[in-house]
Amino acid sequence: MKAPSSQLVIERAHGGDASAGGCVDFSASLNPLGPPPQAIRAYHEAAAKVSKYPPPYPRELEARLAAWLGVSPETVIAGNGSTQLIYLVARALNPRSPFVVIPTFSEVANGLFAAGSRPSGILTRAEDNFRLSHSALNDALEAGADAVFIGRPNSPTGVLASLDDTAAIAQACARRDAWCVIDEAFIEFADDPRSAASLLGSNPRLVVLRSLTKIFTIPGLRLGYLLASADFVRELRDIIEPWSVNTVAEHVAFACLDGAEDFIARTRSNIRDERRWLEQNLGRLPNLRTFPSSANFLMFAIPGEPARGEFGHHLRQRGIAIRDLSALPGCGPGMYRIGVRLRPDNERLVAAAADYFGAERR
């Protein structure tokens, strides 16, 4: 049996760095359309409520999310962003031998470390466009994995496992009595937005993490939620911190969900067009390789980058911030991620990249 990859390490770097002030920020993967207008109105309206406590547990919001998704409220729990819920799941499961499909969002491993676990990585590779192979998953399960964490679509790679493949992954885990935890923080941007939550009825060891932060561009408010079996959600409700969702965040969440489908459809169309434009224009540059993405961001590599971080530094000098992935487990020097933005910003990025390579866009 081929051994899975080595133990992971704590990594704290993230996109959306406040030090990018004054730059066009491609380092954060948010909706380039910005918050919906009703969310901004709700934010200002909520000022009248900040002198009062929010509910200690946001049951009304969870019921509204459940109605939006067409599921039972007993299968939904809301929190202070999906990151809080990653840490919550790690504490609740307390897995002895968790495996994380990498490269991925670093807070998955960080949350497991905080819970006292020692996660290992299931390494996906550039030559396979970072797709998880069934053999790699089986190796991890045979090695004793009792929980497997996977992004869908995955950040930073943009890989979206099909719903059929996701069902097979979750079933393979269940057959070994292992949990399957799927991070769908970017699912609304995906080419195929069908959620793994549709598989919950047949798999009690499946957990699906979701976010309102990314699609509605409200990262400063921190809003996420989780879907799982009613039994597991009850267990989580026993240990989640009270007042995890503040008054302003809750009020804005209700507003975001009003008319959400039209807003999301418009967003998805915009992302698809702009991502394709970026892929085509960045792909024309010498010595830059983009990887296929089904999300609102693109990962690319600059093989043989002369100095670590040089390309990112070049762009920063031109007022553009991107996400350097060189320290992220599963990545390495010369690897970067950019969020998909609106056309004027995307044109500025491509022009600055072409300047770095001394290449003219064709």
Side-chain angles (χ1 to χ4, degrees):
M1 180 185 70
K2 183 172 64 177
S5 68
S6 61
Q7 294 285 311
L8 297 178
V9 297
I10 293 175
E11 166 59 35
R12 296 294 187 190
H14 294 291
D17 187 348
S19 67
C23 288
V24 178
D25 190 5
F26 282 84
S27 72
S29 300
L30 298 167
N31 189 337
L33 300 184
Q38 69 269 26
I40 300 299
R41 290 194 297 270
Y43 173 80
H44 291 291
E45 292 167 1
K49 300 184 176 186
V50 297
S51 61
K52 298 180 180 179
Y53 275 100
Y57 303 101
R59 297 292 181 261
E60 188 178 352
L61 175 58
E62 290 164 355
R64 179 68 179 86
L65 286 165
W68 181 50
L69 298 167
V71 300
S72 166
E74 299 308 308
T75 64
V76 180
I77 184 168
N80 189 246
S82 58
T83 299
Q84 182 199 21
L85 300 174
I86 289 170
Y87 279 65
L88 181 71
V89 168
R91 292 202 311 272
L93 295 182
N94 191 24
R96 299 182 312 279
S97 182
F99 280 73
V100 181
V101 179
I102 60 171
T104 197
F105 182 43
S106 59
E107 292 303 329
V108 175
N110 293 348
L112 288 163
F113 278 117
S117 298
R118 290 294 176 265
S120 298
I122 304 175
L123 182 64
T124 59
R125 301 183 183 280
E127 54 265 34
D128 301 320
N129 287 327
F130 297 101
R131 291 200 167 273
L132 174 65
S133 70
H134 291 292
S135 62
L137 174 66
N138 288 334
D139 285 345
L141 292 170
E142 289 182 16
D146 54 355
V148 174
F149 292 73
I150 181 171
R152 184 181 181 270
N154 184 50
S155 176
T157 63
V159 171
L160 176 72
S162 72
L163 197 57
D164 286 344
D165 282 347
T166 303
I169 291 167
Q171 289 165 2
C173 291
R175 284 194 295 269
R176 298 286 188 128
D177 292 327
W179 288 83
C180 182
V181 183
I182 300 178
D183 181 357
E184 288 191 341
F186 295 97
I187 192 66
E188 287 87 2
F189 298 100
D191 296 334
D192 179 357
R194 291 179 298 166
S195 173
S198 63
L199 307 172
L200 286 169
S202 59
N203 193 330
R205 288 184 173 266
L206 177 63
V207 179
V208 180
L209 296 152
R210 299 282 293 266
S211 173
L212 298 181
T213 291
K214 309 296 191 303
I215 188 64
F216 296 117
T217 327
I218 50 173
L221 294 181
R222 313 304 307 142
L223 267 172
Y225 59 100
L226 172 156
L227 299 109
S229 70
D231 287 343
F232 188 56
V233 167
R234 276 194 294 272
E235 184 178 341
L236 295 177
R237 285 176 173 171
D238 285 341
I239 62 173
I240 193 171
E241 299 84 355
W243 301 295
S244 289
V245 177
N246 68 69
T247 297
V248 178
E250 183 178 50
H251 193 66
V252 171
F254 282 117
C256 286
L257 295 174
D258 290 335
E261 295 309 321
D262 288 343
F263 179 77
I264 291 171
R266 185 158 54 92
T267 294
R268 193 176 297 126
S269 175
N270 174 268
I271 291 295
R272 184 171 52 248
D273 292 345
E274 291 303 311
R275 187 183 65 227
R276 186 180 298 121
W277 187 90
L278 280 167
E279 287 172 333
Q280 291 172 348
N281 285 275
L282 288 174
R284 292 170 179 165
L285 300 176
N287 205 36
L288 187 152
R289 176 190 176 186
T290 62
F291 296 99
S293 173
S294 293
N296 59 320
F297 47 83
L298 276 177
M299 181 176 174
F300 61 88
I302 301 174
E305 185 182 34
R308 189 170 184 146
E310 181 182 87
F311 180 73
H313 180 67
H314 168 87
L315 294 185
R316 180 64 73 109
Q317 289 182 317
R318 286 152 182 78
I320 297 170
I322 65 174
R323 174 75 162 94
D324 186 337
L325 301 172
S326 58
L328 185 69
C331 293
M335 304 191 88
Y336 296 91
R337 186 198 68 190
I338 55 171
V340 175
R341 295 181 62 89
L342 299 179
R343 183 62 59 87
D345 289 344
N346 295 336
E347 289 177 339
R348 180 175 171 180
L349 171 73
V350 170
D355 180 61
Y356 173 81
F357 290 108
E360 292 185 2
R361 289 172 53 200
R362 295 193 291 272

